[in-house]
Amino acid sequence: MATRRLLLLLKPFDVLPIHQSDNISHFRNPKLLQVLKYLDSRRLVHKEAVNFCQNILRKKLVDWEVVYRFNLCRPIHDVDLVVTIGGDGTLLRASNFMDNSIPVLGVNSDPTQAKEVEDYNEEFDATRSTGYLCVATVNNFEQIIDDILENHARPSEVSRMSVTLNSKQLPTYALNDVLIAHPCPATVSRFSFTIKKDDQSCSSLVHCRSSGLRVSTPAGSTAAMLSAGGFAMPILSSDLQYIVREPIAPGPYSSLMRGIVKPEELMEIAWYCKEGLIYIDGSHLVHSVQHGDIIELSSKAPTLKVFLPSHLIS
């Protein structure tokens, strides 16, 4: 059997231990100290998970390269598998640099502990990583990696979103969602949109004044979209879901402030503010727009091969 080549993409160890703080005198408040200890424990859990996964891989017929997600800046090629160790954010980061030729395995290194959330509920938010798209934890990583290496597991193909600005395809496909809004959240976003099929409008032209427009894939429908009042979509669907954020006096357009874009359709948005931003999968990938720009969103994008938790695809 040939040696498999892996890329390990890691969430950074970005919470410093308390004893390394330069301002320890500021942490004499017992509640604040408790929170800091909790955050530091999360850093240690993540670090131990990374070490655990690497120790498992040392026993397998694999070679791997380690990259921290903030250092990832070029397309991923020449590997057989990408393993992300962190949470959904790390998997999202990987997806922004991948085509549909390489599968990705997500490892949730710091899962939320229900008992911990209950114990600390009155003190602070003890929610850890959701890991919605992550099939593995330290508890099952070895079994899953064995199944993959022995070709006993198959990835699912998850749809992504294509973003076009003034007829030019942006280089990054969205796995989660796209937010189009004014750079200042307190400033009204002005835009119009319509749904098109075969270059013809198949919906009304909707004029909006709001705090922006969010469009999600099925994978992203349980994140910010759900929090904003949307609904969870089947993970293997190819539909897109949109919602106008905080519409101002929508009037006759009220029923059109949210909806679905089918796979054979696209959403065309005309931007009518002096400035604006397109956020792709969070705040790390941003493109500027200006008055008169035309943005098109559709699911006509390469899928992403992901090993998913069974409950998402059953």
Side-chain angles (χ1 to χ4, degrees):
M1 181 185 297
T3 301
R4 303 287 187 92
R5 295 165 299 172
L6 278 58
L7 173 69
L8 267 59
L9 188 69
L10 308 184
K11 173 185 174 182
F13 310 120
D14 52 3
V15 179
L16 291 176
I18 294 169
H19 68 268
Q20 292 183 11
S21 170
D22 294 329
N23 299 303
I24 191 67
S25 61
H26 293 174
F27 303 142
R28 290 174 181 171
N29 182 303
K31 288 188 177 180
L32 180 56
L33 193 60
Q34 182 184 36
V35 173
L36 291 172
K37 287 181 177 178
Y38 165 77
L39 292 175
D40 194 51
S41 74
R42 292 193 58 181
R43 181 190 65 86
L44 292 173
V45 167
H46 171 59
K47 185 175 182 179
E48 289 168 359
V50 170
N51 291 336
F52 176 88
C53 292
Q54 289 183 317
N55 287 335
I56 293 296
L57 292 177
R58 288 187 180 99
K59 302 187 294 182
K60 313 299 177 184
L61 195 61
V62 296
D63 292 327
W64 72 87
E65 174 189 2
V66 171
V67 177
Y68 288 97
R69 71 184 187 194
F70 55 74
N71 288 331
L72 186 61
C73 58
R74 64 184 65 181
I76 298 172
H77 295 302
D78 301 323
V79 296
D80 300 301
L81 175 69
V82 174
V83 179
T84 64
I85 307 178
D88 287 329
T90 308
L91 194 151
L92 278 172
R93 182 68 174 168
S95 75
N96 296 146
F97 294 87
M98 297 175 65
D99 58 20
N100 61 351
S101 65
I102 304 169
V104 57
L105 166 66
V107 181
N108 187 352
S109 63
D110 186 28
T112 293
Q113 309 295 323
K115 182 65 166 57
E116 188 176 63
V117 173
E118 181 181 347
D119 289 345
Y120 290 125
N121 184 51
E122 296 185 3
E123 303 296 330
F124 57 88
D125 182 6
T127 303
R128 293 177 179 250
S129 173
T130 302
Y132 176 71
L133 298 174
C134 298
V135 67
T137 65
V138 294
N139 296 327
N140 62 1
F141 176 73
E142 184 167 19
Q143 180 62 60
I144 290 175
I145 202 71
D146 283 344
D147 287 344
I148 293 172
L149 296 177
E150 295 168 8
N151 296 317
H152 294 158
R154 293 287 182 270
S156 298
E157 297 205 14
V158 177
S159 64
R160 291 189 283 186
M161 192 187 326
S162 169
V163 185
T164 300
L165 177 59
N166 296 328
S167 301
K168 182 179 180 181
Q169 174 75 55
L170 296 186
T172 304
Y173 301 109
L175 176 61
N176 227 19
D177 59 19
V178 166
L179 171 64
I180 308 170
H182 193 279
C184 175
T187 299
V188 173
S189 295
R190 296 173 181 267
F191 57 92
S192 298
F193 71 85
T194 187
I195 310 300
K196 301 182 76 172
K197 180 179 179 181
D198 298 328
D199 293 326
Q200 300 294 321
S201 291
C202 55
S203 74
S204 301
L205 180 64
V206 181
H207 304 291
C208 300
R209 292 180 300 146
S210 74
S211 61
L213 173 70
R214 186 181 300 279
V215 184
S216 85
T217 65
S221 65
T222 61
M225 178 61 74
L226 187 63
S227 298
F231 61 92
M233 304 164 70
I235 190 70
L236 300 183
S237 170
S238 296
D239 293 346
L240 301 177
Q241 181 181 174
Y242 70 86
I243 186 166
V244 176
R245 302 165 75 221
E246 303 168 324
I248 300 172
Y253 300 121
S254 294
S255 63
L256 302 175
M257 291 295 104
R258 62 183 66 200
I260 292 292
V261 182
K262 305 300 291 183
E264 66 274 13
E265 301 171 340
L266 64 83
M267 186 178 212
E268 183 180 275
I269 303 111
W271 185 253
Y272 294 127
C273 287
K274 183 178 179 180
E275 55 185 330
L277 294 174
I278 302 173
Y279 297 93
I280 298 178
D281 286 341
S283 60
H284 299 292
L285 293 167
V286 183
H287 297 270
S288 296
V289 291
Q290 57 189 2
H291 189 282
D293 281 349
I294 302 296
I295 305 138
E296 292 182 349
L297 306 176
S298 77
S299 58
K300 296 179 177 66
T303 58
L304 183 72
K305 293 180 180 177
V306 189
F307 292 95
L308 292 173
S310 58
H311 68 272
L312 293 182
I313 55 179
S314 58

